[in-house]
């Protein structure tokens, strides 16, 4: 079964400037803007904001 374009794979990059990334899927219909999540940054050793990259 083919993947739909409604839930694309997005890359989340740390806003702390460490270069750490996470990948996830998001629903474009519910969240049309860039996603910002608070996740753990292992390089910084603390939680940081991760912003969607295009």
């Amino acid at each position: 079964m083919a993947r739909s374009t409604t839930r694309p794979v997005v890359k989340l990059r740390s806003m702390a400037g460490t270069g750490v990334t996470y990948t996830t899927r998001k629903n474009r219909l519910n969240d049309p803007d860039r996603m910002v999540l608070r996740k753990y940054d292992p390089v910084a050793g603390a939680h940081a904001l991760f912003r969607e990259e295009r």
Side-chain angles (χ1 to χ4, degrees):
M1 185 179 214
R3 299 276 174 135
S4 71
T5 57
T6 307
R7 294 191 70 85
V9 175
V10 294
K11 187 186 287 188
L12 302 173
R13 183 172 300 275
S14 175
M15 293 175 69
T18 58
V20 176
T21 60
Y22 281 97
T23 57
T24 187
R25 299 179 71 84
K26 78 168 198 173
N27 188 333
R28 278 194 185 160
L29 300 178
N30 294 340
D31 301 314
D33 299 329
R34 289 190 183 181
M35 184 184 292
V36 177
L37 296 176
R38 187 171 178 266
K39 297 181 74 66
Y40 184 74
D41 188 339
V43 176
H47 282 81
L49 291 177
F50 281 74
R51 186 165 191 230
E52 177 185 341
E53 208 178 49
R54 291 193 180 157

